[in-house]
Amino acid sequence: MGSQFEHLKLPRIINIELPRRSSGGFSGTKRTDVSEHGKQLLGQISSLIEPVKQKTSPFRLDPKLIFKIKIAEKYSFSDNLVTQTALNVLAREPNKAIVVFSSDNELTEFKKRLENYSQIKDGPKYEYLGAIDELVPLEPEDRIGHLLDIKHVQPGELAALDLELWHTGDRKEMQNYLDKIAQVLEELSSGTAPMRMSDKYIGEYLCLARIKVTHEVLELLLLEEMVKEIDRPPQPAFETTADYNLPISNFPEVVSPPEDNCGILVIDSGVPRGHPLIAPILGEAEVFPDAKREVIQGGPDDVHGHGTSVAGIAIYGNVENCIQQRSFNPTAWLFSARITDENGKYDEDILVETQLDEAIHAFIEQYPNCKVINISLGNADQIYRDGMKQFRLAAKIDEIAYQYQHKNIVFVISAGNSFYEEAESDEQLITDYPKYLLNESARIIDPATSAIALTIGSLSFGRGSITEPSDVRRQAIANLSGYPSPFTRKGFGVDGMIKPDLVDFGGDFVLDLKYREGLDLPKARLRLPDTVAGVSVVTLSKEYYSSLFHICSGTSYAAPRVANLVAQLFTKYPDATSNLIRALIVNSAVLPKEIPPEFQYNSNQSQSQKTKQIENQLAIYGYGQSDLERAMYSANNYVVLSEDNILIPLGKFHIYEIPQLPPEFFEVKGTRILSITLAFDPPTRPTRGDSYLGVTMEFNLFKGIHRDSIVNAYVDASKTDVPDNFAEISLDILKKKYKGSSIVSKLSPTSILRKKGTVQRGQVEITPKAIKYNNLPMILVVNCNRKWANPDEIEMQRYALVASISHSDPQVNLYNCMRLQINQRSDREQERLRGRV
């Protein structure tokens, strides 16, 4: 873009906030076998109660009756109805089962209502109990985590494990449970098996402990009702690096960035504080939570090297450009939290959640400009699958983002690296690329599934080997700029959220096919040679005394490129909320010019084929690669309209007006793109299989229709009793009224796909024939839905909104036309308000 203008304000129709009605919480047809069904459930209650009465816990935990309520097909059962039955919801499973607990081990109120329901006693009929299919206990197998299931604790092993308890909502009670377990572990310890609880964490909905136990004690813990899950601790996965010796004579002086520039906290393996390219930019480096240096040796300095590589990109962005220009001008301050030991492992005695919590709290409380948090760590054993609930570490990140809303921090997380383990030869890696990236084994990993973070996948530079460019036996796999890196991971995330959100350059792999010649290894495990100059990312080396730089490839290095852009946006807009920054960065994203055919779609395909290709494209690229200039500035032919820190009551709507497009926008040849991006930061719960987000939002864009018709349709829809389908009902009303007329802008991806996430973008290419875009202002309706968020605690949801309109011809004077209309509208609004006085 040649011209640079400040973004414009998106006009909102202030006086429209439409009411919503909530449903009763129960739906489904009445059962005909009420008496028999009720008696069955009463019998199941007896089977649940008796074992708990007789059970004595070796850990001296107060008994809690915890069991599953299985809901029948085509029925629903709200949290409110569970509470009326004197039970408390602990979790909802994706298959509609509800995990509940009761302090009343007799289930007195539940039995009373079931007796009425089954007509054993007279009174209220409680027909909603017909939604219950079965009451079942939780078994020890339900409490075994994925990693522990893969690798069982062996007899004689003293294993470090993560223990999670069901959180009842009472922190003091949870503290008491952990204290009792810790005490019993100490009592059961011996010289050969020193069992103990080395760390614990009690949050809003997570109750965790790191324990060391034997196989025998693990078996006892798996019998405890209060135990939700026991699993092996996660471990980070790091990419390999190679030295990249560059002769730099007269090395330029590095000047610290301005004091007010945004800072990036890199949570990783630390940084070398003496590195000449890091020292002037380093705000603070610390090791967490080991302030006394008793556990992690070496202090905040990076022993492994991964943290240094990530940090270099976070503060300089494109390090390779800096080298070529012999100019290093850091755009962000660096803060470093080291959470891995000298072997690049998490500590055996400390919960990662504890480290994360303490590190983030320490930095953002002490340094107000520390607003971006880069996490390029992932657990390759925790691969997301459809139907799974949120991972624990990702859930912790979302909890922190929500807890520190007022600090406006943005998390940037790498998608993780996948390896085509099914390949029987290196050649198969080339022949099957990029199709193997769509395999289930290539799905994103913990914590990349975080809902409020920006998750980043990786792109290839499209370059070959610098060292041996003419050697056909050294093959770069992706080999084209903008093609996905051969190790990137794909979405979607929890509840079908579009993940990764964005992509950026993370490098490629080169196969050394010479290595195979003469070797009889047809079934050999995939082997990739050392990182190769040209295809890899250039960044800083921890061994700065021998080499300032080195090269590496991985999604770990794509994430800090985006973190750097986010920090520059925060520096430009220091008062912006994290939602506006996320909306601007996603709205600016574009797909690379060249993408593999497997992720393209065209008008010749059937609708089902096109839908599948769109989903594949989103799963690999998300919304594309961000463009800082487009995020930061408008231009003559590119206009960004935005609103920030808007509070919307849950269950209500806001209506915005996008100014009418000028005639030359349609008359001048070129590509015309309209884009809408919404970002919000709702409460989250990893125990909710029905909806990880406590609040959801979505938007629809209308064209060629007066706003009064839209308002009336939404008012009519507000009188229905189906809150979850409210937007769809409003659209149906309008489509029937304007039958055969195209009034809803068909944004891509569709609302069904995009509305599942906390940052959503819809785009449409406007053709010259689309006259309905220029005969009236466009109307944008944003609605907010309550899922499980407690009405007594959460009444409002904050959000940011960005709309952009662009024309490929730089001579189209779009900006001034839009600005004039917005100013005129503002003047009319002021005049109207003065007339009321």
Side-chain angles (χ1 to χ4, degrees), residues 506-580:
D508 202 340
F509 275 145
V510 171
L511 296 184
D512 191 348
L513 301 181
K514 288 186 296 184
Y515 176 79
R516 291 287 179 196
E517 291 179 359
L519 298 181
D520 185 19
L521 297 170
K523 300 268 186 186
R525 185 179 176 85
L526 177 67
R527 175 190 179 276
L528 296 171
D530 289 336
T531 314
V532 176
V535 304
S536 308
V537 178
V538 181
T539 184
L540 307 187
S541 167
K542 75 177 179 69
E543 311 288 351
Y544 60 90
Y545 36 82
S546 59
S547 176
L548 288 171
F549 309 100
H550 69 178
I551 51 177
C552 42
S553 290
T555 61
S556 284
Y557 314 114
R561 288 178 77 101
V562 176
N564 179 267
L565 302 183
V566 171
Q568 290 191 64
L569 269 181
F570 264 129
T571 298
K572 166 72 174 168
Y573 300 111
D575 297 325
T577 68
S578 51
N579 286 327
L580 179 60

Side-chain angles (χ1 to χ4, degrees), residues 35-93:
S35 178
E36 184 182 339
H37 176 241
K39 288 172 183 174
Q40 268 185 347
L41 294 179
L42 282 166
Q44 289 166 10
I45 281 184
S46 298
S47 300
L48 291 170
I49 289 173
E50 288 308 313
V52 173
K53 281 183 181 177
Q54 297 164 13
K55 185 176 177 182
T56 56
S57 166
F59 292 93
R60 302 191 284 273
L61 305 184
D62 297 331
K64 280 274 195 298
L65 196 53
I66 298 175
F67 58 95
K68 276 187 189 179
I69 299 177
K70 290 190 174 179
I71 305 302
E73 197 68 35
K74 297 182 181 177
Y75 282 79
S76 66
F77 204 78
S78 71
D79 289 7
N80 187 43
L81 291 178
V82 175
T83 306
Q84 288 178 28
T85 319
L87 298 171
N88 297 281
V89 176
L90 287 175
R92 280 186 177 263
E93 305 290 339

Side-chain angles (χ1 to χ4, degrees), residues 209-252:
R210 178 65 55 82
I211 57 174
K212 282 189 176 178
V213 294
T214 60
H215 173 266
E216 293 77 14
V217 174
L218 170 62
E219 294 295 306
L220 291 173
L221 280 168
L222 289 171
L223 295 171
E224 289 294 333
E225 298 290 332
M226 283 305 300
V227 171
K228 179 178 183 288
E229 186 177 85
I230 302 177
D231 208 354
R232 288 192 181 270
Q235 285 301 334
F238 292 123
E239 300 87 349
T240 58
T241 60
D243 285 341
Y244 192 51
N245 286 301
L246 288 174
I248 294 188
S249 55
N250 302 320
F251 190 78

Side-chain angles (χ1 to χ4, degrees), residues 297-309:
Q297 304 301 313
D301 280 350
D302 189 2
V303 179
H304 185 275
H306 188 266
T308 309
S309 302

Side-chain angles (χ1 to χ4, degrees), residues 683-694:
T684 54
R685 293 288 182 275
T687 54
R688 302 295 301 221
D690 54 336
S691 173
Y692 176 59
L693 307 181

